[in-house]
Amino acid sequence: MLWSLETNEKELFLTFDDGPIPQVTPKVLDILDQYEAKATFFCVGENVSKHPNVFAEVKNRGHLVGNHTYNHSNGWKTSTFAYLRQYLIAQSLIDTEWFRPPYGRIKPQQLKAIKKRSMVVMWDVLSGDFDPTITIEQCVQNVVDFVQPGSIVVLHDSLKAEARILGALPIILKQLKGNGYTFNTLRK
């Protein structure tokens, strides 16, 4: 599993989970454009089915896409057969070599099967933007205080995270860009 990337540059790898969502994802894309930042979007297959134009826009703007199962399945609470089915259905829609397990929860048998077809991506920095009990400022600090070159940062382009991500993302990008960081899509 990939937790961070080796790099000699001051570069970060922002990732967004749970979209595409028409009320949030286009706003996130606009903010990324303002800071010349590229990111990787781990998409829920059901959302890709519902919002193909938003999914296409993510790719058209030069971002990478990854598989996040079809229904945002928790691997610990889902049989291996059902989980792999969710993975494959989403894969047929997203067509990517990148996969992130929802909640970061995946059973060893699920991981073994998926690793044969996809790079499984985790993270080393968690923004917490999905948590309604934290502030925008805490979300910013959760990222800015803990990144290092090569960090994979988890953010969300979901309705649940909307207020925090739209408030925090411009601050995060401005501060980190001011510190000399660039923002790129994942790579092997």
Side-chain angles (χ1 to χ4, degrees):
M1 292 192 290
L2 188 63
W3 294 86
S4 64
L5 278 88
E6 291 287 325
T7 180
N8 294 321
E9 307 294 324
K10 281 189 87 171
E11 63 180 327
L12 299 172
F13 302 91
L14 303 180
T15 64
F16 290 87
D17 290 2
D18 303 346
I21 303 292
Q23 301 91 322
V24 183
T25 307
K27 295 173 186 172
V28 167
L29 293 172
D30 289 344
I31 294 167
L32 292 171
D33 284 352
Q34 289 172 17
Y35 291 90
E36 300 174 344
K38 295 300 178 194
T40 303
F41 287 77
F42 286 95
C43 299
V44 173
E46 185 175 30
N47 290 336
V48 171
S49 289
K50 289 179 183 174
H51 314 295
N53 294 341
V54 180
F55 178 67
E57 185 66 18
V58 170
K59 296 189 296 183
N60 290 341
R61 294 215 205 171
H63 302 284
L64 192 64
V65 293
N67 182 336
H68 202 46
T69 73
Y70 187 79
N71 284 326
H72 202 263
S73 303
N74 181 332
W76 293 356
K77 297 179 179 178
T78 308
S79 73
T80 296
F81 177 81
Y83 192 81
L84 295 177
R85 186 172 183 277
Q86 292 281 317
Y87 162 79
L88 289 170
I89 294 169
Q91 191 64 11
S92 71
L93 296 166
I94 299 166
D95 188 25
T96 178
E97 60 185 316
W98 304 95
F99 175 77
R100 172 172 286 150
Y103 312 101
R105 295 181 179 159
I106 187 168
K107 293 176 187 169
Q109 311 93 306
Q110 297 161 347
L111 177 63
K112 184 178 178 184
I114 291 172
K115 278 176 48 175
K116 291 177 183 174
R117 301 180 78 162
S118 296
M119 172 64 73
V120 179
V121 180
M122 301 302 272
W123 59 86
D124 66 332
V125 177
L126 184 63
S127 67
D129 59 358
F130 56 87
D131 183 347
T133 67
I134 74 165
T135 65
I136 290 170
E137 293 75 21
Q138 287 171 309
C139 184
V140 169
Q141 292 314 122
N142 287 345
V143 176
V144 173
D145 290 352
F146 295 101
V147 294
Q148 54 191 354
S151 282
I152 297 174
V153 181
V154 175
L155 304 153
H156 293 80
D157 59 330
S158 66
L159 290 173
K160 190 165 137 180
E162 181 179 13
R164 284 167 301 285
I165 191 57
L166 297 180
L169 186 58
I171 300 167
I172 290 167
L173 290 168
K174 183 177 182 179
Q175 285 188 20
L176 292 174
K177 193 168 185 172
N179 290 338
Y181 279 102
T182 60
F183 309 94
N184 298 308
T185 60
L186 292 170
R187 63 174 182 266
K188 288 188 177 178

